[in-house]
Amino acid sequence: MLTARRHYDSSREFAVEGTAREKPDRSDSVSLHNVEEMTREAEHRWGDRLSVDDRMSRALVSFQANRGQPQYRWFKYKEAFSVELVEFVFEQYGQTSRDLLDPFAGSGTALFAAASTGRRSEGIEILPIGQEIIEVRALIRGGLKKSEIELLAEWARTTPWRRMAPGARLNELRITKGAFPTETDLSIRRFLSATESLDDRARRLLRFALLCVLESVSFTRKDGQYLRWDYRSGRRQGAREFDKGAIQDLDAAMRAKLSEMSLDLLGGSRPRGLFSPKCSPAEIRLHRGSCLEVLPTMPADRFDIVVTSPPYCNRYDYTRTYALELAALGVGERELRSLRQAMLTCTVENKEKDVRSMHPAWRRAIDVAREHGLLEAIMSYLDEEKRVGRLNNNGIPRMVRGYFLEMACVIAECARVLRSGSPMIMVNDNVRYAGACVPVDLILSEFAERLGFTAERIIVLPGAKGNSSQQMGAHGRQSLRKCIYIWRKK
Ligand SMILES: C[S@@+](CC[C@H](N)C(=O)[O-])C[C@H]1O[C@@H](n2cnc3c(N)ncnc32)[C@H](O)[C@@H]1O
């Protein structure tokens, strides 16, 4: 019989290709060697629970698979997982689950996938753009009037904003100044002023459509750690000029987006289950804020499945990549800075959070993170690399330490709010700094085992992911696992 599951060959993780890897000096080689040895031992311990599943693909675990999905396709939340992945998870691990939690809800994929199968769901999201996507889609889910859908189609046809005088200047952040060509800036202001005479719901829908096209009409492109600027913006960024290709005209982009939305809403390409008679009016609840603040307020034993994907420990800064949308939503400089600090630590700019004083019950989780041998070894290696000036950013050790401390607290909270026997499914990537692979999958699964879960399986996605070009130049190519963790509350 054919099986999609096969054994994971951990020796590939250390298969360094190429010749670019620097010959380390003696003290470095001992330390890095120790880390590698300890990682190999950890992989050995996890050997029978690490497996590749050929039914999984990177597209399934990323936004890519949502590109053709009605409604999900409107706003390209690039860090999202796919609705199919959530459906797969329900089928495999959560057939009887009724109450879902996603503490890092993003654009709400897990919440809407749960709702379309009659499950109740709660999500926590800190970023206003994620919150807006979820709230607008929840508003739509609650039922739109025919006239509201027709309004979108009519605006696509007649572009009424073109006849308006431009309204007030757009809210800008320091990092978004000059993001639009002058004509586009005026068109956006015309569009916003045309929505002013409408009722709240219609205005919100149309403004959401605008959020969906901002990147495509700007000089910028979302690029992981920051926004990349096209050379035509006049902003200099790095040595090499960046050309993003065609920059869409706002009127054309809005016409296309409004047509897409009205088509999806009129049922031309209806999402499975959304308006079907079988669909129960399952509740979706969004908590705005940080899960580090919200989780401790939730009652114990409340949920029977967690499906989530936290930020990865990869320096990706959501507050920079979504700066255009945040500015459009009225976020100012101070709010942006405090959002950046309140988010789960995953950038070199994050200051240390005092998790110990945040919540007294987290003492155990903090101890679990602090006492983890492999993590400690990685930290002392990174601290030493920092001391001798070999890190390309000195904030890396603080980021890695903060990431694991905060994740330990999140895991402890998820264990508390889940009912006994319930699954927790997490998508996450391994990372690599200063040549050391950080096996996020094994470390977090070992935390989970000490914080109330049985870590049943780590599904490794086929097709290993390389590391950043900086890392590749200095240390050669190493594959990094992208995984789905399957844990079950004891
Ligand atoms: C990988 S994305 C999740 C994407 C989501 N699965 C989806 O399909 O859209 C991680 C999310 O965690 C959010 N986040 C980061 N720190 C957070 C925190 N402390 N509390 C709640 N959400 C947070 C980010 O804003 C981001 O939307």
Side-chain angles (χ1 to χ4, degrees):
M1 198 177 99
L2 276 178
T3 166
R5 195 168 150 181
R6 59 191 159 86
H7 179 68
Y8 175 73
D9 175 7
S10 65
S11 62
R12 292 181 51 204
E13 186 97 358
F14 293 97
V16 179
E17 296 160 17
T19 53
R21 191 176 199 202
E22 278 169 11
K23 223 181 169 45
D25 66 31
R26 201 172 149 68
S27 58
D28 168 32
S29 69
V30 170
S31 187
L32 183 56
H33 178 75
N34 283 349
V35 169
E36 289 181 349
E37 277 290 292
M38 289 177 79
T39 304
R40 257 191 283 268
E41 280 163 24
E43 279 172 345
H44 190 70
R45 278 199 300 282
W46 283 86
D48 56 340
R49 284 179 284 172
L50 266 174
S51 61
V52 180
D53 193 325
D54 287 322
R55 286 169 302 177
M56 293 290 158
S57 66
R58 276 169 192 272
L60 195 69
V61 177
S62 70
F63 179 76
Q64 241 173 297
N66 283 348
R67 283 181 194 274
Q69 283 280 351
Q71 297 208 16
Y72 292 93
R73 64 183 174 161
W74 296 348
F75 189 102
K76 293 183 177 46
Y77 202 72
K78 296 192 170 86
E79 304 70 29
F81 44 46
S82 70
V83 64
E84 275 116 313
L85 174 78
V86 186
E87 288 168 353
F88 173 85
V89 160
F90 286 147
E91 200 182 292
Q92 298 285 316
Y93 305 100
Q95 283 194 359
T96 57
S97 64
R98 285 287 154 262
D99 298 298
L100 171 139
L101 170 68
D102 183 349
F104 299 98
S107 59
T109 314
L111 313 184
F112 290 99
S116 67
T117 52
R119 293 172 169 87
R120 248 194 89 259
S121 61
E122 293 190 32
I124 309 171
E125 175 54 46
I126 195 167
L127 211 58
I129 181 61
Q131 297 165 353
E132 186 64 12
I133 301 171
I134 295 173
E135 287 184 345
V136 168
R137 291 202 48 205
L139 179 144
I140 290 170
R141 205 173 179 279
L144 285 187
K145 288 184 240 139
K146 199 158 168 259
S147 60
E148 290 171 323
I149 304 174
E150 280 167 359
L151 179 77
L152 299 179
E154 188 197 316
W155 273 49
R157 246 187 353 264
T158 61
T159 58
W161 63 90
R162 295 172 74 179
R163 298 185 287 279
M164 299 293 293
R169 286 174 65 98
L170 302 174
N171 179 44
E172 279 185 327
L173 292 159
R174 192 180 44 77
I175 54 174
T176 65
K177 268 203 169 44
F180 304 106
T182 313
E183 207 27 66
T184 302
D185 184 87
L186 289 171
S187 300
I188 294 175
R189 289 162 57 187
R190 284 193 186 94
F191 183 87
L192 290 173
S193 100
T195 63
E196 264 158 27
S197 57
L198 302 172
D199 66 38
D200 287 352
R201 283 166 61 96
R203 193 164 53 234
R204 198 161 189 196
L205 278 174
L206 287 161
R207 292 187 172 201
F208 176 69
L210 175 64
L211 287 173
C212 295
V213 305
L214 279 187
E215 182 185 2
S216 67
V217 301
S218 78
F219 287 124
T220 70
R221 173 163 314 151
K222 296 184 186 356
D223 193 17
Q225 288 160 17
Y226 56 92
L227 270 187
R228 284 186 89 181
W229 287 74
D230 184 274
Y231 71 97
R232 287 163 282 186
S233 66
R235 273 212 189 199
R236 286 210 63 79
Q237 196 182 48
R240 290 227 320 259
E241 276 193 343
F242 167 60
D243 180 352
K244 82 174 260 193
I247 296 176
Q248 274 195 300
D249 156 70
L250 182 95
D251 298 340
M254 284 312 306
R255 274 200 306 268
K257 184 57 65 183
L258 291 168
S259 307
E260 179 183 82
M261 288 174 73
S262 51
L263 176 74
D264 285 0
L265 291 168
L266 284 168
S269 44
R270 176 174 295 183
R272 275 161 296 163
L274 194 64
F275 296 115
S276 76
K278 273 188 276 157
C279 174
S280 71
E283 191 195 334
I284 291 177
R285 180 156 179 220
L286 169 69
H287 302 265
R288 294 166 158 252
S290 168
C291 60
L292 290 167
E293 305 274 350
V294 177
L295 282 167
T297 66
M298 292 179 154
D301 307 319
R302 171 77 190 77
F303 298 96
D304 55 19
I305 187 163
V306 170
V307 181
T308 197
S309 173
Y312 304 158
C313 185
N314 62 1
R315 303 181 56 177
Y316 189 110
D317 188 342
Y318 288 80
T319 61
R320 288 185 190 283
T321 47
Y322 285 98
L324 283 189
E325 293 79 5
L326 294 176
L329 286 166
V331 171
E333 299 289 352
R334 194 168 332 151
E335 194 188 344
L336 189 79
R337 277 196 301 275
S338 67
L339 267 175
R340 192 171 290 149
Q341 291 307 327
M343 291 185 82
L344 189 88
T345 292
C346 63
T347 78
V348 288
E349 286 177 70
N350 282 108
K351 300 197 181 86
E352 189 181 333
K353 292 190 187 63
D354 185 5
V355 277
R356 197 174 280 279
S357 65
M358 271 174 127
H359 192 43
W362 289 347
R363 180 165 301 170
R364 163 117 182 102
I366 293 165
D367 288 348
V368 164
R370 294 233 162 105
E371 289 161 7
H372 192 275
L374 172 55
L375 180 59
E376 231 174 79
I378 291 169
M379 289 320 311
S380 76
Y381 169 69
L382 291 179
D383 285 340
E384 177 62 11
E385 289 291 291
K386 174 180 167 184
R387 200 187 62 76
V388 299
R390 262 197 304 240
L391 287 183
N392 57 36
N393 189 297
N394 281 339
I396 289 170
R398 187 182 56 226
M399 173 190 73
V400 175
R401 189 174 278 116
Y403 184 83
F404 283 104
L405 263 179
E406 292 163 33
M407 280 304 291
C409 301
V410 172
I411 292 168
E413 283 300 318
C414 288
R416 189 182 62 79
V417 300
L418 270 174
R419 291 197 268 278
S420 177
S422 304
M424 170 152 174
I425 317 291
M426 183 187 295
V427 176
N428 207 332
D429 270 13
N430 287 356
V431 292
R432 185 188 193 207
Y433 292 109
C437 283
V438 183
V440 179
D441 49 359
L442 308 185
I443 298 174
L444 291 184
S445 295
E446 290 185 351
F447 286 4
E449 293 241 292
R450 297 192 59 202
L451 293 169
F453 289 99
T454 303
E456 291 183 346
R457 259 188 91 187
I458 298 174
I459 302 175
V460 183
L461 296 186
K465 181 167 167 261
N467 33 252
S468 74
S469 50
Q470 268 169 345
Q471 290 283 318
M472 226 133 85
H475 304 279
R477 187 184 166 80
Q478 270 185 305
S479 59
L480 292 171
R481 289 189 295 265
K482 184 176 192 71
C483 300
I484 306 170
Y485 319 154
I486 316 291
W487 305 337
R488 198 170 290 279
K489 164 107 179 256
K490 286 180 190 149

